[in-house]
Amino acid sequence: MTHRMRATTTFSQEQNPNPNPKPNPVGKKKRNLPGTPDPDAEVIALSPTTLMATNRFLCEICNKGFQRDQNLQLHRRGHNLPWKLKQRTNKEVKKKVYICPEKTCVHHGPSRALGDLTGIKKHFSRKHGEKKWKCDKCSKKYAVQSDWKAHSKTCGTREYKCDCGTLFSRKDSFITHRAFCDALADESARFTNIEAANLNLKNEEALQSLPHGFSGQNVSGFGPDFNGMNTMNTADQQRPRLSLWMNQGNPQMNPIDMAGLPEIMQMGPPGNLYGSSSMLNYGVSSQFVGTSSASNSTNSNLSLSTIPVGQKGEAGGNKTNMVETLSSIYSESQNKQSKPATPMSATALLQKAAQMGSTSSNPSIFNASNSFGVMSSSSSQTTSFNQNHNDQQSQSCQNLKQLGNNFASNTNAAAVLGNSNYSSLRTSSNGFDQLMLQTNGKQNEQVQLKLQPGVVIGSNGSMEHSLTRDFLGVGGRGACPPFYPQELAKFASMESAMGLNQFSGNQ
Amino acid sequence: MDTTLYTNYNTSTAKDNQTHSNIYKQSSNGEAAAIVTDMQSSTNSHQPPSQNNHTHTSTSLSCSTSDPGDQPPGTGKWASKLLKECARAISERDSSKIHHLLWMLNELASPYGDCDQKLASYFLQALFCKATESGQRCYKTLISVAEKSHSFDSARKLILKFQEVSPWTTFGHVASNGVILEALEGETKLHIIDISNTLCTQWPTLLEALATRNDETPHLKLTVVLTNTSIVGSVMKEVGQRMEKFARLMGVPFEFNVIRGINRLCELSKEGLGVQEDEAIAVNCIGAMRRVEVEERDAVIRMFQSLRPRIVTVVEEEADVSSTRNDFVNSFEECLRFYTIYFDMLEESFPPTSNERLMLERECSRSILRILACDGDHHEENNTSIESSGECERRERGSQWAERLKEGFATVGFSDDVVDDVKALLKRYRTGWSLVLPPPQQGGDNYHHHHDQYSSGIYLTWKEDPVVWASAWKP
C-alpha cells in the first residue's frame, strides 16, 4: 500500500502489478488495473521502433531528446522560457494509454492497453524482444536490463527447498532431486507457496513464464488422506519451533549423506534435535523413535510424548503459512550448504558391526572376531605346512586340499552371505572398514593370515602362490568372489592351476 | 580454456610421467625394467584424509616377503608399474612372472586403500581373469551380486549423489539437453529416444525447460532403450512412474516407454521404437556406443539415420581401447590411464568415507573386466563370443566416434547459449573441471568444415585430461 501511494506522488513509472481495490483519496492520480484502461483515455499506437526509441521527448528549443516527459520538462525550465510558453498547451493533459505493437499480443487491443509508457516498453522487450542480458552464473537471459540486474543480485543466493525438506543451492540439482523424490510419490502433490517462492515466481518477469503446473494455488501437498506422509505433516507443523533450535550451530543439513535414514529424518539433524531437551516437550520425539541405528545411541532417553491431536487433519492453509515462515527462516539463516557425512564414533561403528553380525545368516564371516577365528583354523594348518614344505610334498598336497576345502567353505559362506546380506553390508561396509582399521592389531592379524594360506605347492616343487584372498569376501566386503570353490580346489593341483597350461613355464 | 588446443594423443607410458598429473604422487623418471628394484621412495603427497591408507600400507610392509631390494610399496606409482609389468607378462605368456606379479599385487592391493591400492585391486582382478580366461564368468558373478543389492532407492541415491559432487554425467546431460531444445524448438510433438543407463536423470531439467520456456508446452514422448538390462532394468518401472508424475507436475503432456532385451542396437527400428510420422525425433546416446560390437557400429549409425531424427546427441568417455584391441598391453595401459584419472576424480569429489564412491568403484571394476577380459578370442571362431556381445566394451575417443558419425551425419555446433550453460554448470562444482572446445578444422578436404568452428563436439576435462566428449549431429 505504501509503495503504491508513494509511487503515485513521485510519478514513478514502475508498473504496478497489484490491483488497487481501495478508492484513492481525492486529488491523487487515479490508477486503473493494469491492462484495463480508462475508457476516456487516448489510445496511442506506437510502432516498435518508436516505442523502443530511447529519446522520444524532444525539446523544441534545442532538440535534445529525453526518455521521460518529466525530464524534458525539467530541462525546459533551464531555457528560461517566457511564462506563456511555459504552460502546457492543454489545460488538462489527456490520459494516454499505449497498445503493444505486436499483433498477436494480448495488449494489442485498445481494451487491454497499458497506461504507462515505460511499462509498455518493458513489456514489449520482455515478451517480444531479444534477450540481450545474460546472467553469468546461471546463464539465464533477460531482455530488460533492470530485470537482469535484479536477478543477478539474487542468483545463487536463493535456496530451493523440496517437500521432503532437503535444501538445494542449485536449481538443476533441485529439479532432478524433485523428480525422483519420495515426496513426489503422492498423486496429489502440488507445489506449495514455498516452491513458488523458491522458484522465483515473485516478480512479473517470472510470472510471465509461469508453467502450467504452477497454478498458484495454495494447495498443500499433505492432505488428510495422505497416509504415508502424516508423520511428516506433524513434524512439519512443528518445524517453525524446531528451526529456532536448528539454527544454533547446526552444521549438518545435507540429509543425502545420512545413509539408511528415512526421508523424514532429513528435515533436521538428529543430533541437534535430541541435544536440546526442551524439544521433547513438543512431541518431536514421537516420530523419531524407532528409526535407524545412527541415532540409537542418543535416542534412548526420549519418551513418547503425545502427538497433539488433530494435527493430521490440519493440512491446508494452516500448514502452508507455517511452512512459508519456515522457508523464510531457512533462506535467511542457511548460508552454507554443508556436505560432509556424519563421522561415526567408534562405539556406533562397533554397534553397527555387531548388528550386522547378529542379523546375518552366516555369522562366521561378518562377526569380526569370528572371521579371524575361521582364519586361524586354516592358518594353523598352514603354519605347519610352511615349516615342512621342503620335505613333505605329498603331505603338503593333502594339506592343500584341506585348505582348498576350507577356502571353499569360506567362499561359500561369503557367497551366500554376500548375496543375502549385501544390502546391510553395503550400507555398513564403510562403518565396518573404519572399525577394521581402527583396531590396528586385528588388521595386522588379518593381513598376516592372508599370507599363510596363500602359499601353494605345485607338484614340481615350485612355490606357487594362490592369491586373491581378498576376493573371498574376507573383511566383510560382501563382494562375491570371482572364483567358485571348484576353481580354488584347482589351485591345489598344479596341472591345471589357473589354466596356465598354454603358457610355457619359463623361469 | 575455450580455445585450448589439444592433440589427439595415443596412450603411451610417457603420459604417465607428465608432471601435471598429481595423482601420480611424484613423477618418477624412467620405466622400471625390473619391477621391484626400481621403486623410488617418495613422499605420498596425495594422501586421502582417512586412516585406511596408512594402516594398510604399514602392515603390508611388515608382511611382505623379503624380496631382496624390495622398496616399501607405499610409495607412488607402484600400482601402475606392477600392473603394467603383469600385463606384459601375460602378453608374453611368462607364467612364473605372471604368478609372481599377481601375488605381489594381491598383497598390496585393497579396494579400501588409496587410489593406487584400489586400482591395483580392481585391475588385478581383471588381469587374473585374463590370465585364466575366466572373465565372462567372473563378470556374471559380479553382476549377479550387484543386482541383488540393487534397488530403486540405492540406484537413485547413487546417481544423484554422483551428479551432485561431479559433473561427469551432468556435463553430457546439459550439453545434450541444450542442443535438443534448440533443435526441436517450435515443434509440438517431441519424441526422444534415450539410449543410456542414466535412469532418466537427464530429463527433469529438460521437462522443466519445456514447461517454462514456451507458452505452448509441447507433448513429449520418451522412449528409453536399455543397454545394460541386467542392473538397470529392474528399477526402470519405478523411474518411469516418477517421470510421469513429475511431468504431470510440470504440466508437460508426457508419455513414457521402455525397450528392454535389445541385444544389438542395430536391431532397433522405427516400428520397434514406436516412431510416428508427425513426431520430431531426437536420439540421445549416452555411453551406449561403446557397448556395441566394433563391426556393428556403422550399422547402428545407419539405424539412427533410418529414424529420420532432427538431432542426434552422442556422449562418450574419452578412452581408446578399440584401435588397440589386438594389442593387450596397449589396451591395458590405456584402460589404466583412463581409470587412474577416474579414480582420482572420485577421490577428490566425494567425502572420504563415501559409500557411493565405493559403489561407483565397483561399477568400474565391472567395466574394467569387460574391457580387458571379456572379449571373445578374436583369433578364432569362438562360440563364446556370441555370449559376449553386450559384454565387450571397446571404447573409442571422440574423434574416432566423429569419424564414424560423419558417414551419415553432419556436425551440429554447440551454440553460445549451450556453451554458456555448460560453463555455468562447471562453475557449480569444485575446481579441476573445465570445458574444452575443439580447434577449428584445417586441411584441404575438410575445407568446408573450416567455417564450422565446433567441428566435433566439446570435451569435459579433469585436471587437463579430457574425460568426457559430447557431440551433436544432424542428418
Side-chain angles (χ1 to χ4, degrees):
Chain A
M1 285 303 161
T2 314
H3 168 75
R4 181 188 50 79
M5 299 289 281
R6 197 172 356 110
T8 311
T9 51
T10 56
F11 297 99
S12 162
Q13 295 282 351
E14 290 303 315
Q15 187 165 15
N16 185 1
N18 299 323
N20 176 18
K22 273 172 75 174
N24 285 328
V26 176
K28 301 281 197 236
K29 222 178 182 181
K30 192 175 171 190
R31 270 189 183 250
N32 288 80
L33 293 170
T36 57
D38 186 347
D40 295 330
E42 178 188 350
V43 178
I44 301 185
L46 299 166
S47 75
T49 26
T50 325
L51 186 61
M52 299 314 290
T54 45
N55 299 329
R56 288 192 59 250
F57 298 91
L58 294 175
C59 173
E60 64 262 26
I61 299 165
C62 65
N63 237 4
K64 198 167 174 191
F66 294 91
Q67 287 203 25
R68 298 194 185 91
D69 189 41
Q70 293 83 5
N71 300 352
L72 171 65
Q73 297 306 322
L74 225 63
H75 159 82
R76 281 173 81 237
R77 283 192 220 161
H79 283 306
N80 295 321
L81 298 164
W83 182 87
K84 208 172 184 185
L85 293 171
K86 257 199 210 170
Q87 299 292 97
R88 287 178 172 277
T89 44
N90 294 341
K91 263 292 174 182
E92 183 193 303
V93 181
K94 196 158 189 191
K95 171 140 176 77
K96 296 193 180 79
V97 292
Y98 305 89
I99 58 168
C100 180
E102 174 61 38
K103 290 192 190 68
T104 60
C105 185
V106 163
H107 295 288
H108 185 66
S111 56
R112 298 299 306 275
L114 297 170
D116 180 63
L117 179 62
T118 315
I120 193 77
K121 280 162 92 170
K122 279 194 178 172
H123 154 81
F124 183 72
S125 286
R126 281 187 195 126
K127 256 294 178 65
H128 315 294
E130 183 198 341
K131 299 195 170 160
K132 290 183 235 158
W133 303 93
K134 190 172 200 172
C135 172
D136 57 358
K137 278 182 219 159
C138 70
S139 63
K140 200 166 173 198
K141 284 176 126 174
Y142 296 91
V144 180
Q145 188 184 12
S146 55
D147 293 343
W148 168 76
K149 267 195 190 167
H151 166 84
S152 295
K153 277 190 198 162
T154 61
C155 183
T157 62
R158 184 187 321 106
E159 278 162 346
Y160 303 90
K161 193 171 76 66
C162 179
D163 283 345
C164 70
T166 324
L167 276 172
F168 296 88
S169 58
R170 278 168 24 203
K171 184 177 174 186
D172 51 351
S173 42
F174 165 61
I175 289 175
T176 314
H177 163 90
R178 188 78 172 77
F180 293 100
C181 183
D182 291 330
L184 185 55
D186 180 40
E187 273 293 326
S188 63
R190 299 270 179 92
F191 273 67
T192 62
N193 247 1
I194 286 211
E195 298 284 9
N198 279 342
L199 290 172
N200 192 22
L201 296 178
K202 280 180 192 148
N203 57 18
E204 181 197 310
E205 185 269 348
L207 276 172
Q208 293 176 356
S209 59
L210 194 64
H212 304 295
F214 294 88
S215 49
Q217 307 163 16
N218 293 351
V219 177
S220 159
F222 304 102
D225 55 338
F226 197 81
N227 287 335
M229 306 296 268
N230 272 339
T231 41
M232 207 191 276
N233 196 9
T234 49
D236 245 0
Q237 294 193 343
Q238 294 164 356
R239 264 147 112 211
R241 289 165 279 183
L242 298 185
S243 64
L244 297 174
W245 281 271
M246 282 200 228
N247 288 339
Q248 295 167 7
N250 166 20
Q252 308 287 353
M253 272 309 291
N254 188 350
I256 298 178
D257 281 317
M258 298 185 190
L261 294 176
E263 296 279 339
I264 190 174
M265 291 294 284
Q266 298 170 2
M267 290 172 354
N272 218 9
L273 285 173
Y274 298 146
S276 174
S277 58
S278 47
M279 299 289 266
L280 301 180
N281 299 332
Y282 289 101
V284 168
S285 58
S286 53
Q287 59 263 30
F288 294 120
V289 168
T291 49
S292 67
S293 57
S295 48
N296 272 346
S297 50
T298 49
N299 217 352
S300 50
N301 54 350
L302 289 177
S303 54
L304 266 172
S305 327
T306 51
I307 301 174
V309 179
Q311 274 190 0
K312 285 185 185 178
E314 279 176 9
N318 206 4
K319 178 196 166 293
T320 0
N321 287 337
M322 286 205 212
V323 183
E324 206 177 349
T325 38
L326 179 63
S327 82
S328 53
I329 292 172
Y330 269 176
S331 309
E332 286 156 16
S333 58
Q334 201 67 32
N335 294 333
K336 26 188 185 167
Q337 186 77 357
S338 52
K339 290 204 190 287
T342 321
M344 293 182 76
S345 69
T347 335
L349 287 172
L350 280 168
Q351 266 181 331
K352 236 186 182 179
Q355 278 172 4
M356 268 166 44
S358 59
T359 54
S360 72
S361 57
N362 221 327
S364 62
I365 298 296
F366 285 98
N367 194 318
S369 54
N370 268 350
S371 68
F372 298 127
V374 167
M375 298 281 242
S376 52
S377 69
S378 58
S379 76
S380 61
Q381 275 183 322
T382 51
T383 329
S384 57
F385 162 75
N386 270 338
Q387 289 162 2
N388 300 327
H389 76 269
N390 280 330
D391 306 328
Q392 302 171 13
Q393 289 190 11
S394 55
Q395 179 170 10
S396 55
C397 274
Q398 217 177 25
N399 279 348
L400 277 169
K401 290 211 169 69
Q402 288 176 20
L403 206 60
N405 289 337
N406 236 356
F407 287 168
S409 62
N410 281 355
T411 40
N412 264 334
V416 168
L417 192 55
N419 287 340
S420 59
N421 286 31
Y422 200 70
S423 54
S424 64
L425 284 177
R426 183 177 50 76
T427 52
S428 50
S429 60
N430 271 332
F432 193 71
D433 298 338
Q434 292 185 20
L435 169 66
M436 291 294 297
L437 296 157
Q438 281 173 10
T439 55
N440 287 339
K442 281 188 178 166
Q443 180 72 9
N444 268 331
E445 192 180 349
Q446 188 216 6
V447 178
Q448 225 170 17
L449 289 166
K450 223 165 64 167
L451 176 58
Q452 312 292 1
V455 180
V456 172
I457 280 289
S459 59
N460 60 3
S462 62
M463 285 261 274
E464 300 277 347
H465 298 297
S466 153
L467 45 93
T468 63
R469 198 70 188 86
D470 264 345
F471 293 156
L472 297 181
V474 172
R477 295 198 335 268
C480 198
F483 319 117
Y484 290 179
Q486 305 90 294
E487 283 189 58
L488 288 160
K490 262 207 264 176
F491 278 34
S493 51
M494 168 55 182
E495 272 74 38
S496 55
M498 299 194 283
L500 286 169
N501 283 338
Q502 57 194 319
F503 299 143
S504 53
N506 288 328
Q507 283 287 357
Chain B
M1 267 289 117
D2 292 358
T3 54
T4 307
L5 292 178
Y6 94 106
T7 52
N8 184 12
Y9 46 80
N10 286 320
T11 186
S12 65
T13 50
K15 178 76 175 82
D16 301 330
N17 289 332
Q18 285 182 20
T19 50
H20 70 250
S21 307
N22 50 4
I23 44 169
Y24 307 115
K25 282 100 182 157
Q26 295 283 342
S27 67
S28 61
N29 303 317
E31 284 304 306
I35 348 105
V36 293
T37 55
D38 201 26
M39 287 211 217
Q40 302 169 17
S41 60
S42 56
T43 57
N44 259 340
S45 58
H46 174 68
Q47 287 290 356
S50 71
Q51 305 173 24
N52 295 355
N53 181 46
H54 300 290
T55 335
H56 201 86
T57 311
S58 56
T59 51
S60 60
L61 273 181
S62 65
C63 73
S64 58
T65 55
S66 52
D67 249 86
D70 196 358
Q71 298 276 337
T75 58
K77 281 195 68 180
W78 57 266
S80 168
K81 288 197 174 79
L82 280 181
L83 290 167
K84 285 181 190 168
E85 277 299 319
C86 192
R88 263 176 233 137
I90 289 178
S91 163
E92 291 159 9
R93 308 189 163 199
D94 186 342
S95 172
S96 61
K97 199 167 170 194
I98 293 171
H99 285 129
H100 178 65
L101 289 166
L102 287 178
W103 179 85
M104 276 200 68
L105 281 165
N106 185 46
E107 283 305 302
L108 303 172
S110 163
Y112 303 113
D114 63 3
C115 273
D116 261 328
Q117 287 169 301
K118 285 178 190 169
L119 286 165
S121 171
Y122 295 121
F123 274 92
L124 167 61
Q125 180 178 271
L127 284 172
F128 180 82
C129 289
K130 175 75 177 174
T132 58
E133 303 217 328
S134 55
Q136 298 280 353
R137 192 167 27 174
C138 179
Y139 180 73
K140 284 188 170 62
T141 313
L142 291 179
I143 285 282
S144 71
V145 167
E147 268 178 347
K148 297 269 180 354
S149 68
H150 198 258
S151 69
F152 173 75
D153 279 332
S154 71
R156 168 186 65 177
K157 194 164 160 226
L158 176 63
I159 201 167
L160 289 185
K161 182 68 180 174
F162 187 35
Q163 291 182 350
E164 192 187 307
V165 301
S166 166
W168 189 274
T169 51
T170 50
F171 170 81
H173 293 348
V174 169
S176 299
N177 283 348
V179 167
I180 290 173
L181 283 166
E182 284 179 356
L184 301 182
E185 178 82 42
E187 295 288 337
T188 50
K189 282 190 74 179
L190 313 184
H191 186 173
I192 297 182
I193 298 171
D194 180 19
I195 312 175
S196 74
N197 295 326
T198 56
L199 300 181
C200 293
T201 48
Q202 179 175 348
W203 307 118
T205 41
L206 182 107
L207 279 168
E208 194 263 348
L210 284 177
T212 55
R213 64 153 44 178
N214 295 321
D215 286 333
E216 296 104 30
T217 311
H219 178 283
L220 172 64
K221 183 155 92 177
L222 180 63
T223 302
V224 177
V225 178
L226 292 181
T227 55
N228 181 8
T229 316
S230 49
I231 290 197
V232 170
S234 55
V235 304
M236 280 314 288
K237 184 156 176 257
E238 181 79 34
V239 167
Q241 286 170 352
R242 302 283 170 124
M243 292 301 298
E244 284 166 349
K245 289 199 171 100
F246 185 71
R248 217 173 1 239
L249 186 67
M250 286 284 119
V252 176
F254 184 70
E255 190 184 326
F256 182 79
N257 292 309
V258 175
I259 311 263
R260 290 165 213 267
I262 294 284
N263 283 326
R264 298 158 67 215
L265 274 187
C266 49
E267 289 170 355
L268 289 172
S269 66
K270 252 182 145 171
E271 298 72 36
L273 291 166
V275 169
Q276 314 285 340
E277 286 309 316
D278 57 345
E279 290 169 344
I281 307 289
V283 176
N284 183 70
C285 201
I286 310 259
M289 292 299 290
R290 60 180 178 247
R291 300 295 297 272
V292 175
E293 292 286 334
V294 177
E295 306 80 34
E296 293 180 6
R297 287 175 183 179
D298 292 329
V300 169
I301 291 171
R302 282 194 293 276
M303 183 276 292
F304 289 161
Q305 278 181 291
S306 74
L307 303 174
R308 309 268 176 84
R310 302 290 172 98
I311 189 89
V312 176
T313 48
V314 179
V315 176
E316 280 291 337
E317 291 175 356
E318 191 70 358
D320 174 19
V321 286
S322 172
S323 60
T324 55
R325 61 184 177 275
N326 294 325
D327 177 352
F328 178 70
V329 173
N330 273 326
S331 297
F332 182 85
E333 290 185 357
E334 169 70 355
C335 191
L336 179 61
R337 177 198 71 84
F338 178 78
Y339 279 102
T340 306
I341 300 172
Y342 187 77
F343 271 68
D344 173 65
M345 182 275 297
L346 288 183
E347 174 98 17
E348 296 207 9
S349 304
F350 282 94
T353 54
S354 163
N355 209 29
E356 286 82 18
R357 185 178 69 177
L358 190 62
M359 294 298 114
L360 288 168
E361 288 165 355
R362 286 189 189 156
E363 254 180 57
C364 285
S365 77
R366 297 195 290 274
S367 279
I368 293 168
L369 203 56
R370 273 204 307 267
I371 297 173
L372 294 176
C374 278
D375 42 336
D377 197 350
H378 286 280
H379 297 298
E380 314 170 4
E381 291 292 316
N382 196 344
N383 49 7
T384 61
S385 64
I386 296 171
E387 239 183 67
S388 77
S389 68
E391 247 106 43
C392 189
E393 191 172 312
R394 288 286 165 200
R395 298 172 172 233
E396 292 183 9
R397 286 179 189 267
S399 50
Q400 293 166 282
W401 292 118
E403 286 303 315
R404 291 185 191 273
L405 286 156
K406 277 175 188 163
E407 294 299 315
F409 293 94
T411 313
V412 171
F414 287 90
S415 70
D416 290 337
D417 283 346
V418 178
V419 170
D420 283 345
D421 280 342
V422 174
K423 285 183 188 166
L425 174 81
L426 295 186
K427 271 192 214 149
R428 298 178 212 137
Y429 291 98
R430 298 192 195 191
T431 55
W433 300 100
S434 60
L435 167 69
V436 168
L437 305 168
Q441 286 276 1
Q442 286 164 27
D445 52 338
N446 283 331
Y447 178 71
H448 65 288
H449 284 295
H450 185 65
H451 304 287
D452 229 357
Q453 192 168 12
Y454 311 129
S455 53
S456 92
I458 57 177
Y459 294 85
L460 173 70
T461 67
W462 169 249
K463 295 183 179 172
E464 323 249 333
D465 287 309
V467 287
V468 179
W469 172 76
S471 63
W473 306 87
K474 64 177 183 224

